[in-house]
Amino acid sequence: MDTSFGYFDDAAREYVITRPDTPWPWINYLGTEDFFSLISNTAGGYCFCRDAKFRRILRYRYNGVPMDAGGRYYYIKDGDTVWNPGWKPCKTPLDRYECRHGMGYSRFIGEKDGLQAELTCWVPLGHRCEVHRLRLTNTGTARKSFQLYSFVEWCLWNASTDMENFQRNLSTGEVEVEGRVLYHKTEYRERRDHYAFFGVNRPFDGFDTDRETFLGMYNGFEAPQQVLSGTSGNSVAHGWSPVASHRFDMALEPGQRDELLFVLGYVENPEDEKFTEQQVINKRRALEMMEAFSTPAQAEASLAALRAFWDGLLSRFTVASAVPELDRTVNIWNQYQCMITFFFSRSASYFESGIGRGMGFRDSNQDLTGIVHMIPERARQRIIDIASTQFPDGGCYHQYQPLSKRGNNDIGGGFNDDPLWLIFGTVAYIKETGDFGILQEPVPFDNQPGTEVSLLEHLKISFSHVTDNLGPHGLPLIGRADWNDCLNLNCFSDNPDESFQTTENQSEGSQAESLMIAGLFVAEGKDFAELLERIGDSDAAGVKQAVAAMEAAVKKDGWDGEWFLRAYDFYGRKIGSDECAEGKVFIESQGWCTMARIGAEEGLCDKALDSAVKYLECDYGMVLNNPAYTAYIKDYGEISTYPEGYKENAGIFCHNNPWVIIGEAMAGRADAAWRHYCKITPAFCQDQRLRKVEPYVFCQMVAGKDAARPGEGKNSWLTGTAAWTWKAVSEFLLGVKPQYDGLLIDPCLPLPYGTYRVHRRFRDAEYDLNIHYTGRRGGCFLPYEAGSHTVDIEL
Ligand code: BGC
Ligand code: NOJ
């Protein structure tokens, strides 16, 4: 394993970064409820409450140079030397640097000239704030006098207009300074009822709230003029750019340690409690929050509570195997990433700006399957929220805004795979929890009160949305796109200024059909039929019939000879066929049709999986399509706009690799399943510099074999890869599968790794499984029974 930039500390559940100049900012997320932060290994990033676009608290410049400028910066001025515990922004060389990204917190240790700063940042449970605990220790032999400055820059709430409407923004900024707290209250007087604050648990010696006064008009974050001169301007911002900085004049004897607690918080006030006098904000809630973190003991207790929270979540599924990379992925980082992806959908990362995308219909349904074993109640709520945005014909908005929970058309609708994912998410939820009651929950259409029908009805129309939209071969019409947002077969765009996601300018008479949806329909249709039978619903027979018809259609018109076709285009021509010059083989249909086991008896699944290996596999995983498209094809859309080897054009789109891994496992091909899994799993990464992004989380995309630098990762963190690799590894490799009545243990691993233990919390039961897998298929069923069970399983 490559440790050039850091290593895993599994006992602490931390990734330890040992030098600050990582090949790309390596970030962590803080927060578990509705206040969230992104924090990089140099303390860069920002926070927001509930919605990364509309309630952005700290300003962040995505396209800045150098990148990742802005965050929570502490400056230490020790004589003529100015340095930061996280190295940036001054980049003064440190005698020691370490960043530990843990579960919901990040810790930075910087040391310079006999002074050590340990900064721990977290979002406490039950509060809308970041707490920063800064411990300063004199590690030298002489008394040290120095100055400490804090610094954050406020965003004017709407992260989008904050970056564009300067004629207004530069006049709206307002702050208040009172006691130990610097308040940001821009626009509080009118429609807003929220403000932010940055406070500290002791009196300060100076402050600034006006950026120009603090930095100087021509200085950057790396050289604030107040810090350089050891002063504060005591500035009160009026317009321009409000910031918050405290100054402390400090001294430490050798060996002495001091600890400060900063709270960076957010408050919403009820209408009748907004002001204490005209234009003066009511600070009660901020002061209460400050009070909650005013002593070291409170801070320690809050950190302990956070640790206990994650211990609780991560103790529900653990493995002890012979492969440490597997154990740390399963026990720590994959589950953690599933939680983060569930919270954030695709909204805010270092690749998603937090202003463009809300909660995706298909994305969120998949994401919830990665966390349902940890926080089932939140999965339940998410299912209801998602289903509430559906239309009466089963179609749906592609995404909804987390703040309003309403669907929006920003990236369109009419993606014909979308409805099926609701079945996928709901089935996973019920299998985990046994809560069939959710099916009877009243759920509206398009959030319109009075339109409620049961969730079960929503599932039924989701299913029939496919059968109502079949094409000439009896295969599902693709609509605007299926899972692959970039295969835009009803969009014929010559105009570089229009979005492929929202342009559907030719769909009348379209013959564009999707084999990915066909596979998804068969797989989910089988699950749906089983669910309906369970509850004694007579529609089960009709569902089975439709599934059988789809299987027949796939075998007849969806098989290319050695693999499953990908699609038919608008004109009814094949995509993903040996007949095509480029894009002969696609991964999505191999994954879905083999997971659905279409034509398994006739050997189609094995052949399709062999073809995936032959055409798609490379050193870093399986590419999406092969050969890559080398020119723009108007009939296909966005897929052919990407350079070869990137994103949907033959990138290793990690999200879909687990589909083939599961297909391989279902076919009993353990070596291939394991090999594919190891290739995309970051804990096995052999070259951190090449991979570039965080070595502890999955990427959405790793550059494929046709790219300039195969193996280079992008779009880390927020990706369906998290939930899907979780499913692949927990249910298919380790083989612990939740069923309506219990757990099915059905592993598929190379035999040298076949002996392992799994601890699995399942509803009100705890299972300790000692598994010895010798290659026998078929599995072993453990009926659900509350209580603790230790079971030896030999298969
Ligand atoms: C990306 C897709 C993404 C889509 C959604 C495209 O540019 O390539 O991965 O799903 O945008 O907005
Ligand atoms: C990312 C999107 O979030 C997801 O919905 C989509 O399926 C993939 N890209 C593939 O295009």
Side-chain angles (χ1 to χ4, degrees), residues 334 338 366 369-370 424 427-428 431 524 527 592 595 658-659 661-662 720-738:
N334 192 358
C338 283
Q366 293 169 80
T369 67
F424 175 78
V427 164
K431 284 192 170 167
E524 292 321 303
D527 280 349
W592 274 103
M595 285 197 288
W659 300 345
I661 297 170
I662 295 173
T721 314
W724 273 102
T725 43
W726 174 250
K727 194 179 196 58
V729 72
S730 64
E731 295 186 24
F732 291 89
L733 301 183
L734 299 172
V736 181
K737 260 198 197 129

Side-chain angles (χ1 to χ4, degrees), residues 1-22:
M1 205 204 350
D2 182 9
T3 53
S4 318
F5 293 88
Y7 61 91
F8 290 95
D9 180 346
D10 295 337
R13 295 204 189 103
E14 291 174 339
Y15 190 84
V16 188
I17 301 168
T18 48
R19 48 185 284 189
D21 55 340
T22 47

